[in-house]
Amino acid sequence: LDESGQEKESLLFLFIKKNNRMVTALGFADASWLLVLSLIFYAALPNVEGSDPGYIEENKQRLYRCNLDGTVKKPSSIVLNWKVDPENMAITWDSNVTMDQCSVDTPPKSCEYENRKLRVNRTCYIRSVPLHKGATFIAKIKYLNQTLSDSIYFPPEEMDGTSAENISCVLYNVSFLNCSWNAGRNAPEDIQYFLYLKHDFGKKRECPCYMNNALGRHIACHIPETAFTSYYIYMNGSSKKSQIQYYDMLLNLCHHERIGPPQNIIKNCSEVLSKCRIQWTRPLNNKNCCCCCHYEIKDETKDTTEYISEDYHNIDVEERHIVRIRAIKKTVDITICGEWSEPIILDFPSQSIPSPIVTLILIACGTILMMLILVFICKRYHLWHKLTAPVPQPKDLLQQYTKNTEKELGDPIPTAHEPDEKITMIEEVTDGFKK
């Protein structure tokens, strides 16, 4: 190579050497930054996950869903003096720090944040969530240009068998809600349960109409009007013998809706085509619940079932069929089967069975016609006089003999023309006639 070539080679070697040093320097910088961020992250975790070490290790990923990025552990020198009102889902504080955000984390993977519009007088409100399985209330505060975090952990309740069990709710007739429950297995005899409902950030209200058993214990609740599709259910109890645990849950009414049968069912059968067409409309349901209905048609004559998505169906009919229809609502989580319709009889008009009223009318008309025909025949051939002629009666011999005897005794006895002859004795002779 020439001298110029050697110079280019040396310059290229120096450039590559400098780039290697730069890459090495950048690699150390990235690693240092990752180490610092990791230390900050793990320093913040123990503060927001409660005081139970097992709870910390089990729920690191879950609690991080409440968006605690950029927060650091609150130093003990800062007194927040914040309290949690779990019944009203409210967090209050009385210090001079600025509350940045309130939230609550509940198992398994849920995080609810406050409604900033409802914050008043150092109080923030969170949408109601079940707490009996445990929850962690988290506070993010602003202090000296730093974002600090603190938490209060509510451990899960150890169920002692006094709270209500087997709580079941059903939404029917569009807006009616019925909830029933059983007494806890360890509940005292004088237990009395109370049910409360709450929607989002609204006020909690008690059941307006309880149903009682023979002992006067509340066993069910009827709510005549529901304006929303999701509610927070809270149940507690009272007893003079022991403390009663509470039970709470979230209720999605659309998952507990009882769907009625299809409406306005119309059938049309054609003897020429040997087919019957059935049409109907969707069943009534809550307007706030999605009703992605499919339909199940059961042929009770052939004992077959068919699923369709249309609101009509054609059936080949060569003989009499009896079918029923019901709606099926499918969601991502559950499948709800509706109520069966009344039996639908599919038959041709010529083979149709008359109704009982028509049958009675035909029988009455036939009876009247037969009576008129019989009356005409009787008059035409004088059968009525012949049938009603008097029957000859046998003579009464004793009565006839008595009349004849009276007649003979009344007549004078013939005598000879003898003026001096007199009748001196009259003898009654009756034995001979009797014999």
Side-chain angles (χ1 to χ4, degrees):
L1 295 175
D2 56 5
E3 295 180 1
S4 62
Q6 291 178 356
E7 290 178 358
K8 289 181 179 180
E9 185 178 357
S10 60
L11 290 173
L12 181 61
F13 176 77
L14 291 173
F15 179 75
I16 292 174
K17 190 174 181 179
K18 289 181 178 179
N19 283 345
N20 287 335
R21 291 176 180 175
M22 292 175 64
V23 170
T24 303
L26 290 174
F28 280 115
D30 291 340
S32 301
W33 276 107
L34 288 176
L35 180 60
V36 172
L37 291 176
S38 300
L39 292 174
I40 294 174
F41 171 72
Y42 284 107
L45 271 178
N47 183 58
V48 299
E49 295 176 344
S51 57
D52 187 355
Y55 185 84
I56 294 173
E57 294 299 328
E58 182 181 355
N59 298 284
K60 284 181 180 179
Q61 296 298 326
R62 180 176 63 82
L63 288 180
Y64 192 66
R65 294 177 180 271
C66 285
N67 189 18
L68 301 177
D69 294 336
T71 62
V72 296
K73 181 179 180 180
K74 179 185 72 64
S76 58
S77 59
I78 300 177
V79 180
L80 184 59
N81 289 333
W82 64 299
K83 299 179 182 180
V84 177
D85 180 7
E87 185 173 348
N88 296 312
M89 295 300 291
I91 297 176
T92 60
W93 62 96
D94 57 2
S95 62
N96 295 325
V97 298
T98 301
M99 182 71 72
D100 182 56
Q101 188 181 69
C102 302
S103 61
V104 60
D105 189 278
T106 56
K109 296 179 180 179
S110 175
C111 185
E112 289 290 341
Y113 297 96
E114 66 168 314
N115 187 340
R116 296 298 294 268
K117 296 180 180 180
L118 300 179
R119 181 186 289 192
V120 290
N121 299 328
R122 294 182 179 177
T123 303
C124 60
Y125 295 92
I126 305 174
R127 181 184 289 108
S128 295
V129 293
L131 301 178
H132 72 277
K133 292 184 179 181
T136 302
F137 287 85
I138 305 169
K140 291 171 64 175
I141 60 177
K142 294 288 187 180
Y143 184 76
L144 298 178
N145 299 324
Q146 283 185 316
T147 301
L148 308 179
S149 60
D150 197 8
S151 64
I152 296 178
Y153 175 59
F154 283 78
E157 293 279 342
E158 294 183 2
M159 307 307 291
D160 59 3
T162 60
S163 62
E165 298 177 348
N166 301 326
I167 302 174
S168 176
C169 296
V170 176
L171 177 68
Y172 67 100
N173 286 353
V174 180
S175 62
F176 291 172
L177 180 64
N178 274 1
C179 291
S180 60
W181 56 85
N182 296 331
R185 58 189 180 277
N186 297 328
E189 295 180 356
D190 64 338
I191 182 67
Q192 188 65 283
Y193 292 107
F194 303 94
L195 183 143
Y196 300 86
L197 288 90
K198 181 181 178 182
H199 173 69
D200 284 350
F201 303 95
K203 293 184 178 181
K204 192 164 54 177
R205 60 186 180 118
E206 188 179 356
C207 169
C209 180
Y210 287 107
M211 288 170 274
N212 304 331
N213 60 7
L215 301 176
R217 179 186 297 165
H218 297 165
I219 58 172
C221 168
H222 173 69
I223 301 170
E225 186 67 29
T226 54
F228 308 99
T229 58
S230 61
Y231 285 93
Y232 168 73
I233 303 291
Y234 179 84
M235 288 195 64
N236 60 9
S238 64
S239 172
K240 296 180 180 179
K241 298 182 179 180
S242 64
Q243 294 290 332
I244 306 300
Q245 283 187 330
Y246 74 92
Y247 182 86
D248 57 350
M249 67 177 184
L250 289 178
L251 180 66
N252 188 337
L253 299 187
C254 297
H255 292 175
H256 299 268
E257 184 178 18
R258 187 173 68 190
I259 305 175
Q263 303 289 311
N264 305 321
I265 300 176
I266 301 174
K267 63 177 182 178
N268 186 13
C269 295
S270 173
E271 187 175 4
V272 177
L273 301 176
S274 298
K275 287 186 177 181
C276 286
R277 183 183 179 91
I278 310 175
Q279 291 180 315
W280 60 86
T281 58
R282 284 172 43 175
L284 297 176
N285 72 305
N286 191 295
K287 62 181 181 180
N288 297 319
C289 294
C290 175
C291 185
C292 302
C293 285
H294 297 270
Y295 299 96
E296 180 182 1
I297 299 180
K298 182 178 181 181
D299 191 331
E300 296 184 349
T301 303
K302 295 183 176 181
D303 195 17
T304 58
T305 302
E306 188 173 356
Y307 297 91
I308 61 173
S309 58
E310 297 83 7
D311 56 359
Y312 64 90
H313 188 58
N314 296 321
I315 300 178
D316 294 329
V317 179
E318 296 180 355
E319 57 183 359
R320 190 166 179 257
H321 284 253
I322 300 177
V323 299
R324 292 175 182 264
I325 309 172
R326 71 174 177 180
I328 298 178
K329 185 173 73 172
K330 293 184 178 181
T331 63
V332 178
D333 302 325
I334 59 173
T335 298
I336 302 175
C337 296
E339 298 178 356
W340 288 105
S341 67
E342 293 294 326
I344 305 169
I345 300 176
L346 302 179
D347 209 344
F348 299 125
S350 59
Q351 300 175 351
S352 60
I353 299 175
S355 63
I357 297 177
V358 175
T359 303
L360 291 175
I361 293 174
L362 292 176
I363 293 174
C365 292
T367 303
I368 294 173
L369 181 63
M370 291 297 297
M371 292 179 65
L372 292 175
I373 293 174
L374 288 175
V375 170
F376 174 76
I377 293 175
C378 289
K379 285 191 174 183
R380 176 68 178 81
Y381 297 100
H382 304 287
L383 295 178
W384 184 257
H385 295 287
K386 294 180 180 180
L387 293 175
T388 59
V391 178
Q393 298 293 328
K395 293 183 178 181
D396 190 349
L397 296 177
L398 181 60
Q399 185 178 7
Q400 186 66 30
Y401 169 75
T402 303
K403 290 181 179 181
N404 293 336
T405 302
E406 292 178 353
K407 184 178 179 182
E408 291 177 358
L409 292 176
D411 294 339
I413 300 174
T415 60
H417 296 282
E418 299 178 358
D420 297 330
E421 185 176 356
K422 294 181 181 180
I423 298 175
T424 59
M425 182 182 64
I426 298 174
E427 182 179 0
E428 184 177 358
V429 181
T430 59
D431 295 338
F433 288 97
K434 290 182 180 180
K435 292 180 180 180

